[in-house]
Amino acid sequence: MSERSYGRDADALRPVSIEPGFVRTATGSALISIGETRVICTASVQESVPRWLAGKGRGWVTAEYAMLPASTGERKPRDIASGRADGRSVEIQRLIGRSLRGVVDFAALGERTIYVDCDVLQADGGTRCASITGGMVALELAVLALLREGKIASSPLNGSVAAISAGVLDGQPLLDLDYAEDSRAEVDANVVMTGDGGLVEVQATAERTPLSRAHLDRLLALAETGVASLRAAQSAAVQAG
């Protein structure tokens, strides 16, 4: 196997940075960079809920995801050009929403909706994982703003989530695949975990070689170490925000 980007070991993340408050006009926001992948995540609060939740005393959290046209080098047409989001974007934004909702107490949120928007500035693998990780920071900052403003009595967050990719390339399990690795990997997995190590979702696909139980266990172990590092970065960003 060729040397990895940034000269890192098999169990190492690419350089991670999370800049809180990147979008001043959003209730909560963060710019997350993982290697060359960069995503702007914003959380916006709306004092209403979807019609099917009206009058139930519960809130809602949902997400949207998009890649800017130049994010991959070759221009990607905006979804609005076709009148609808492409299938990949819909799948990813549903994953982001499910992941974030897993740590929210909707009764404590009250009848309001928090929209988490994730816009990919530059893609080099792992955009959905970066979106979940950065989206969690934006959500936490939005909740802190609601608390400061006295709109909620207690935090509706009962945990945190982060996500990281792992895969098998040339028979070797690797953490945090960049695009060059992901495009050649025999196995590609995206793992969403809570801050205390609980699994929220695992998406694993074997491209050519069936995924063995041993390899799956190894990938999950790698992901656990990666998520621990990401959670530390999330905590630092929230404190700085």
Side-chain angles (χ1 to χ4, degrees):
M1 188 185 73
S2 58
E3 183 177 350
R4 305 193 73 197
S5 58
Y6 304 97
R8 57 201 169 107
D9 294 332
D11 60 353
L13 296 171
R14 290 171 287 175
V16 176
S17 70
I18 305 176
E19 182 179 343
F22 189 75
V23 179
R24 181 181 56 82
T25 50
T27 311
S29 68
L31 170 66
I32 181 168
S33 300
I34 302 182
E36 294 298 310
T37 289
R38 296 184 176 87
V39 185
I40 293 177
C41 303
T42 59
S44 305
V45 179
Q46 181 173 304
E47 295 295 325
S48 62
V49 292
R51 185 178 303 173
W52 53 273
L53 271 176
K56 296 183 178 179
R58 294 165 53 83
W60 189 242
V61 172
T62 189
E64 293 190 12
Y65 167 96
M67 297 180 69
L68 296 188
S71 58
T72 59
E74 182 176 339
R75 188 180 189 277
K76 176 186 181 296
R78 296 182 190 272
D79 289 340
I80 195 172
S82 63
R84 59 184 177 84
D86 64 37
R88 179 179 179 275
S89 295
V90 171
E91 176 221 339
I92 292 175
Q93 66 190 30
R94 286 176 176 170
L95 171 64
I96 299 167
R98 286 196 305 272
S99 300
L100 298 176
R101 286 192 293 270
V103 295
V104 177
D105 177 349
F106 295 115
L109 181 59
E111 288 204 20
R112 55 179 54 85
T113 302
I114 300 181
Y115 292 87
V116 178
D117 291 286
C118 302
D119 292 286
V120 179
L121 297 178
Q122 186 168 282
D124 187 30
T127 61
R128 71 186 68 194
C129 295
S131 296
I132 292 168
T133 303
M136 184 71 229
V137 172
L139 178 59
E140 289 186 79
L141 292 172
V143 165
L144 288 174
L146 290 173
L147 286 166
R148 286 195 303 270
E149 295 165 6
K151 293 183 176 180
I152 53 176
S154 61
S155 175
L157 299 178
N158 50 40
S160 65
V161 291
I164 195 64
S165 68
V168 179
L169 178 61
D170 297 332
Q172 182 174 4
L174 302 174
L175 180 66
D176 188 20
L177 279 64
D178 58 25
Y179 178 77
E181 293 171 330
D182 182 63
S183 62
R184 298 186 295 116
E186 298 102 72
V187 175
D188 175 34
N190 297 294
V191 181
V192 186
M193 301 182 76
T194 62
D196 57 6
L199 286 171
V200 176
E201 189 150 347
V202 178
Q203 299 178 336
T205 303
E207 297 288 347
R208 294 179 293 277
T209 305
L211 177 61
S212 69
R213 177 61 181 272
H215 269 152
L216 178 59
D217 289 343
R218 177 60 177 147
L219 294 181
L220 292 177
L222 282 173
E224 187 172 13
T225 63
V227 166
S229 296
L230 290 173
R231 185 53 197 152
Q234 287 175 318
S235 295
V238 171
Q239 290 173 10

